[in-house]
Structure formats: C-alpha cells, structure tokens
Amino acid sequence: MWIEVHTNLLRHRKTKNLARALQIEPFIAIGHLVSLWTNVMEQSESGDITKWSKEDIADYACYKGDVDKFYNALLNNGDGWIDEIDKKEGKRVIHDWWDYAGRYLTSKYKTSNPDKLEYIKSIYRPPKDALKTPHLANLANLANLANLAISYVDFENKVYETWNKLVNKFPTLSKIEKISETRRKHLKKRFESQHFRENFDKVIDLIPQSKFLLGENKTGWRVSFDWLIINDTNYIKVLEGKYLDKKTDLLSKWEAK
C-alpha cells in the first residue's frame, strides 16, 4: 500500500495552521498526519472514518495530547484535514482522500472490484445533479449513481500515461515524473473544460506533426506538458494547427481531395 505525500507538505498553509493550533513544529505535525493517513489506508481505505471516535483519530495519528483540541485542529473550521460531510449523521472523511489515494485504489480495484471503486469515487466525486435532490444526498444512494460521476483521477492517470507514451517515441520531450501540486492545479482547471477532455488525444496526435514543437527551431524550445495545461489557449493553438509543418500527412489528405 502507498499514499502520495508531496514535497510541499512541510510548507503547506494547512500544515502550518495545524502546527500553530497544536503549538508544535510543522515537521511534527506532518508526522501526525502521515501516521493518520497510513492507518486510514490500512483500516479504512475509502477514507471514510465515520466509525472512528475522536480518541481513535488521535490514537491513529500518534497524538498524546487533548483529543478534542487535536480533532478541532484537523477540522480547522472546514478548511483542514478532515471533512464533516454530514454533521447530523456524524459522517466524516479524510479531506481530498481520493486525490491522494485514488491512483492506488484504482490500480487495486479497477479490475478486481469496480463496484467498490465506483462507490469510493462517489464519496468524493458525487454526480452534481444528485446533490440537488435531498433524498439522493446520502452516500448509499450516491453509490448507485456512481457510474454518472466524472473521475478526475481517472483522467489524470490517462493524461499521465498518454503523455509519457508520446515521450517514449519522441525522447527530445520531457517525461512527467510526477503530478506536482502546481500541475494538478492547472490540470484540474483544464479538466473542467469538456472541450479539453474530448480533444486531449487529438492534441497529442498533432504534436509529432510539428518539428517546431519537437524542438527543431532556432531557440531549441520544445513543447512541454506544463505548457499545454498552464492555460486554456495553448492546447487550442496546437489543435488548430498553428504549429503544423507545411507538409504533413494530415495536410496531404486534404490536398488530395
């Protein structure tokens, strides 16, 4: 089992807030968080910790102080490391659990137990329309609608694999070694666009048809993954053929008509 821990965790605003609330050093706060996350992965891999008491949470995080103080610091008024998604029923989950454990859970259950995978996804990526209907707003009913949910993590995995396949064929380009926080921020923004989601593969197919994008130009600049996703215009330039070579297989097909 594994869970993503990013290099900016020590500097993260929420880590500093947790450390200040508990009057401890940020690196000690990280120790408590990682201890909690690893226990969640082993004992409640969906990230749903509704059945855990505050004492359980503190114990699994290896925190020996005031459990109420620790729990409230994790909540941080709804901007922390735990989300109370239904206070009346006491439902709570690890904040953004799917974003950081989703890749592992997908690899584990995509083939062996897809229904379970869809249920876990539905906790964090519920269908938007379902939340507007009161009787569908509980997790059990959302599980039945999980096939309607759009999974960002699945898209991230697809993009990661597609880009690196391109780089394997054209090694002048740079591989994606990991999806950093900055990359994820930009990719999530692009993911919101149906046009980007539907045309990403076409953009990748067009890159090899441009010597310029592959680095054959006066400056040696070449297209990068970050350049493609940093805004909502760069990928469109590629899609519209701005960088295509004068003679490509694509253009030849049109000329032959």
Side-chain angles (χ1 to χ4, degrees), residues 1-47:
M1 294 184 181
W2 54 268
I3 184 171
E4 292 185 27
V5 177
H6 296 167
T7 56
N8 71 340
L9 185 58
L10 185 63
R11 306 184 304 278
H12 198 286
R13 167 184 58 84
K14 293 200 293 186
T15 303
K16 293 182 177 181
N17 288 341
L18 178 63
R20 280 193 291 268
L22 299 175
Q23 297 181 312
I24 58 178
E25 294 294 329
F27 71 89
I28 297 177
I30 289 176
H32 291 309
L33 288 170
V34 173
S35 295
L36 176 62
W37 294 335
T38 53
N39 275 289
V40 172
M41 182 60 83
E42 287 187 350
Q43 301 187 52
S44 184
E45 62 184 3
S46 69

Side-chain angles (χ1 to χ4, degrees), residues 75 78-85 91-96:
L75 282 180
D79 185 33
W81 303 98
I82 290 177
D83 293 333
E84 290 184 334
I85 59 177
K91 289 187 179 297
R92 52 178 170 245
V93 298
I94 299 298
H95 179 73
D96 279 351

Side-chain angles (χ1 to χ4, degrees), residues 149-253:
I150 298 175
S151 168
Y152 165 76
V153 171
D154 283 348
F155 181 73
E156 180 181 293
N157 289 336
K158 171 195 170 183
V159 166
Y160 183 97
E161 293 172 3
T162 303
W163 177 265
N164 282 344
K165 284 181 181 178
L166 174 69
V167 177
N168 287 338
K169 293 181 179 179
F170 301 93
T172 57
L173 304 179
S174 298
K175 269 192 173 183
I176 303 172
E177 297 296 339
K178 66 173 291 185
I179 301 293
S180 65
E181 281 296 320
T182 300
R183 280 176 174 165
R184 180 167 284 121
K185 177 183 177 182
H186 291 149
L187 188 56
K188 280 185 174 180
K189 191 66 178 177
R190 302 288 78 74
F191 174 74
E192 294 174 3
S193 165
Q194 182 178 348
H195 185 267
F196 181 86
R197 296 197 305 270
E198 291 179 348
N199 288 283
F200 180 77
D201 287 341
K202 294 179 182 178
V203 171
I204 295 300
D205 289 340
L206 286 170
I207 288 174
Q209 299 185 46
S210 169
K211 292 180 181 179
F212 179 84
L213 292 177
L214 295 177
E216 295 185 31
N217 54 68
K218 293 180 181 180
T219 64
W221 178 89
R222 62 204 62 183
V223 66
S224 68
F225 178 72
D226 294 313
W227 179 85
L228 269 185
I229 66 171
I230 197 170
N231 56 42
D232 59 2
T233 59
N234 286 349
Y235 84 93
I236 293 177
K237 293 177 185 177
V238 178
L239 190 63
E240 292 180 345
K242 179 176 179 179
Y243 303 103
L244 282 177
D245 297 337
K246 290 182 179 180
K247 290 290 183 179
T248 66
D249 292 339
L250 181 66
L251 294 180
S252 295
K253 289 178 182 178

Side-chain angles (χ1 to χ4, degrees), residues 100-115:
Y100 299 101
R103 189 174 297 172
Y104 165 77
L105 295 170
T106 298
S107 67
K108 182 177 181 180
Y109 292 121
K110 187 173 184 178
T111 302
S112 64
N113 196 341
D115 290 339

